[in-house]
Amino acid sequence: MTRALSAPTESPPTAETISITAGPEAAGERADRFLAAAIGSLSRSRVKALIAAGAATRDGAPLRDAAEAVKPGATYALAIPAAAPALPMAQDIPLTILFEDAELIVLDKPAGLVVHPAPGNQDGTLVNALLAHAGEDLPGINGERRPGIVHRLDKDTSGVMVVAKTERALRALSEAFATRDLDREYLALVWGLPQPPAGEIEGPISRHPTDRKRMAVTTRGGKPALTRYATTRAWGAACALLRCRLATGRTHQIRVHLAECGHPLIGDPVYLRRTPAAARLLAEPAREALLSFPRQALHAATLGFRHPVTGAALRFESPLPPDFAGLLRLLDGNAE
């Protein structure tokens, strides 16, 4: 197989045209699969869409059928359009970058930052910030110049996130998250002292039957969910700091599971429904600080994974943000 690149053309705008001569080993393979594997940076679905749009040729003639069997010795060409500007606008929002290369960005997301534009949060999001930060360094995902959101943290959850800059990184990282082929740990400050101090919480999660903004453990129709936890510190029976690991990745999983077993996250505006009895075990000012904490006390502390291209083992840690760390200092002072 040989491959050549041509210079960008003026109209329509094209980033590059890739030409590949098929070798005998490619005989009979689907054209879209062959081109995707040979190019490496595009998904098969993206190549298939480009073929359908008339961007491919075989020996200079239009290639219309993505499923056509590859002919050894034939030269296939695919014109890859320049990435279109992303619809969200770029906004200069400060970010704490832990690592960055041509394929991905690892960052420390602050609490209060929404990950992706949505109704009610059309701008001021992580995506807007990443568009300003990465700018022209984004080669494009599915034809649009945008970052690839691999996973999300709730608006008021802080900590480590990884974002893809290329299609191949997005595919590989998404697969790693789907199969849990990574190391991810959260710190959660909860009301009460879980018993046993370490264990597993299992229960299927789905949308709450009456409150569509909440998730719930349900007996029917939910997706399997498993959270592993271990108590690292405790302040009597009033509250405890847990390390949580996800065996599955459901929306609000840690928040739902801990609330379900009677130990909701301190400050959780959705799953902490009333003043917990454990609050009476704390003296002021710690009690008031915990009861008035304005967000869920949840922090994505650790993220480890293999680089999607090089295979190198990467691991990143994020210290507790000042507001969360301040709660622990108050609790320590209360214990004294």
Side-chain angles (χ1 to χ4, degrees), residues 77-122:
L78 185 68
I80 305 174
L87 291 179
M89 62 180 176
Q91 292 179 298
D92 188 12
I93 301 170
L95 293 174
T96 300
I97 304 298
L98 304 179
F99 174 85
E100 182 174 4
D101 66 7
E103 300 291 334
L104 55 88
I105 300 173
V106 181
L107 59 101
D108 192 350
K109 186 187 92 66
L113 182 63
V114 175
V115 170
H116 201 282
N121 291 286
Q122 294 291 351

Side-chain angles (χ1 to χ4, degrees), residues 178-195:
T179 60
R180 302 292 142 194
D181 184 21
L182 45 77
D183 178 25
R184 186 161 52 146
E185 185 175 79
Y186 292 78
L187 289 173
L189 188 61
V190 303
W191 288 108
L193 180 60
Q195 294 297 331

Side-chain angles (χ1 to χ4, degrees), residues 71-216:
K71 297 182 178 180
T75 297
Y76 294 82
L78 185 68
I80 305 174
L87 291 179
M89 62 180 176
Q91 292 179 298
D92 188 12
I93 301 170
L95 293 174
T96 300
I97 304 298
L98 304 179
F99 174 85
E100 182 174 4
D101 66 7
E103 300 291 334
L104 55 88
I105 300 173
V106 181
L107 59 101
D108 192 350
K109 186 187 92 66
L113 182 63
V114 175
V115 170
H116 201 282
N121 291 286
Q122 294 291 351
D123 59 9
T125 71
L126 176 61
V127 167
N128 298 109
L130 287 167
L131 288 170
H133 170 79
E136 295 302 312
D137 288 340
L138 291 172
I141 293 176
N142 286 333
E144 183 181 329
R145 193 179 299 280
R146 62 176 175 85
I149 300 301
V150 179
H151 64 122
R152 302 188 185 208
L153 295 178
D154 295 335
K155 173 185 176 182
D156 289 326
T157 298
S158 54
V160 187
M161 283 189 64
V162 59
V163 178
K165 294 171 71 173
T166 66
E167 283 195 31
R168 61 183 174 185
L170 180 61
R171 290 198 308 272
L173 290 169
S174 296
E175 176 66 18
F177 273 81
T179 60
R180 302 292 142 194
D181 184 21
L182 45 77
D183 178 25
R184 186 161 52 146
E185 185 175 79
Y186 292 78
L187 289 173
L189 188 61
V190 303
W191 288 108
L193 180 60
Q195 294 297 331
E200 296 182 346
I201 306 170
E202 188 170 12
I205 292 176
S206 65
R207 190 70 59 181
H208 193 282
T210 59
D211 185 348
R212 305 306 292 172
K213 293 183 179 180
R214 301 173 62 200
M215 307 299 289

